[in-house]
């Protein structure tokens, strides 16, 4: 019981209170810095946990049976999202590439390393292992991970970032739960993230871009 209370308190502080403090501007809005610090602490916690096989964070695991279905699922989702942008906000379509192709290229290359991998280490590998006593191994864990992942994006102060990340977090959690492969989940996440920046929705995920 004491361990469950400690885990619940830890979860509340890391995944609820800190995002709220950033949203309320009680602490500086430095998302990448916080992400890297928190992901490093998560790595150290996993490293010291004898119940976690640390090789999982750098191994592909059992990804082959799931790769084709995930890519097909992603293609359907992303084509639908692209069509939605085309019809509902055509001025955004490819806006970053047209405005700053160099910045787009830098984001495309660095985003998977600087943002995707730390997020997946924290919200999938660490989250699924650390909070299993709270949320179990099934749908409860998938939903909790997706909601936590979406909630942290309140720091960007727009509903679209939160909504897209709840949906994305749900899909990434399903990928990780089914395959057990952190790297495959990172590929899944990177495909979605880079596509969002490519079709012009990245501005909803820029620090300070929306109020």
């Amino acid at each position: 019981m004491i361990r469950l209370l400690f885990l619940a308190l830890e979860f509340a502080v890391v995944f609820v209170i800190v995002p709220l403090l950033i949203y309320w501007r009680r602490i500086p809005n430095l998302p990448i810095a916080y992400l890297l610090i928190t992901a490093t602490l998560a790595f150290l916690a996993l490293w010291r946990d004898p119940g976690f096989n640390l090789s999982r964070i750098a191994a592909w695991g059992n990804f082959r049976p799931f790769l084709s279905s995930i890519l097909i699922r992603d293609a359907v989702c992303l084509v639908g999202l692209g069509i939605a942008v085309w019809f509902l906000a055509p001025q955004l379509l490819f806006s970053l590439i047209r405005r700053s192709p160099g910045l787009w290229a830098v984001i495309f290359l660095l985003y998977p390393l600087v943002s995707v991998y730390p997020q997946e280490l924290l919200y999938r590998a660490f989250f699924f292992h650390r909070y299993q006593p709270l949320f179990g191994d099934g749908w409860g864990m998938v939903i909790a991970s997706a909601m936590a992942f979406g909630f942290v994006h309140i720091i960007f102060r727009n509903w679209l970032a939160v909504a897209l990340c709840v949906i994305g977090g749900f899909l990434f959690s399903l990928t990780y739960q089914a395959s057990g492969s952190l790297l495959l989940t990172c590929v899944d996440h990177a495909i979605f993230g880079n596509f969002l920046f490519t079709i012009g929705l990245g501005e909803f995920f820029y620090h300070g871009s929306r109020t």
Side-chain angles (χ1 to χ4, degrees):
M1 176 62 78
I2 294 177
R3 172 167 170 74
L4 288 178
L5 290 174
F6 176 82
L7 287 175
L9 178 61
E10 178 186 274
F11 169 82
V13 170
V14 175
F15 297 101
V16 179
I17 294 176
V18 170
L20 284 174
L21 289 175
I22 298 173
Y23 178 79
W24 290 328
R25 296 174 176 166
R26 297 296 186 267
I27 58 177
N29 190 349
L30 302 170
I32 294 298
Y34 291 140
L35 171 62
L36 294 178
I37 291 170
T38 310
T40 299
L41 293 174
F43 168 79
L44 293 174
L46 293 174
W47 179 56
R48 298 185 58 178
D49 189 336
F52 183 80
N53 182 358
L54 200 62
S55 67
R56 293 185 62 184
I57 68 172
W60 284 98
N62 186 32
F63 78 95
R64 288 183 178 84
F66 307 97
L67 181 60
S68 59
S69 60
I70 288 171
L71 292 177
I72 293 171
R73 180 200 70 188
D74 289 357
V76 171
C77 292
L78 295 178
V79 167
L81 185 59
I83 292 173
V85 174
W86 183 26
F87 276 103
L88 299 176
Q91 74 281 2
L92 293 178
L93 199 61
F94 306 120
S95 57
L96 179 59
I97 296 178
R98 289 186 277 108
R99 183 175 68 249
S100 183
L103 176 60
W104 171 81
V106 170
I107 291 173
F108 197 90
L109 293 174
L110 294 184
Y111 172 73
L113 296 175
V114 177
S115 184
V116 169
Y117 186 83
Q119 287 183 71
E120 291 308 316
L121 174 65
L122 177 61
Y123 283 93
R124 252 55 71 177
F126 174 79
F127 198 101
F128 272 61
H129 180 75
R130 182 79 166 180
Y131 301 115
Q132 186 275 333
L134 289 178
F135 303 115
D137 295 318
W139 285 106
M141 177 60 75
V142 170
I143 293 171
S145 176
M147 295 301 293
F149 182 70
F151 184 76
V152 73
H153 288 82
I154 65 171
I155 66 174
F156 295 114
R157 310 182 74 83
N158 69 87
W159 68 267
L160 186 61
V162 175
L164 288 176
C165 288
V166 168
I167 296 169
F170 181 76
L171 296 177
F172 309 150
S173 294
L174 288 177
T175 298
Y176 184 74
Q177 184 188 59
S179 68
S181 173
L182 183 63
L183 294 185
L184 177 61
T185 310
C186 287
V187 170
D188 195 13
H189 187 162
I191 289 171
F192 270 88
N194 277 334
F195 185 80
L196 291 179
F197 283 107
T198 299
I199 64 171
L201 292 181
E203 68 177 79
F204 291 91
F205 298 86
Y206 291 158
H207 167 43
S209 65
R210 294 276 163 173
T211 58

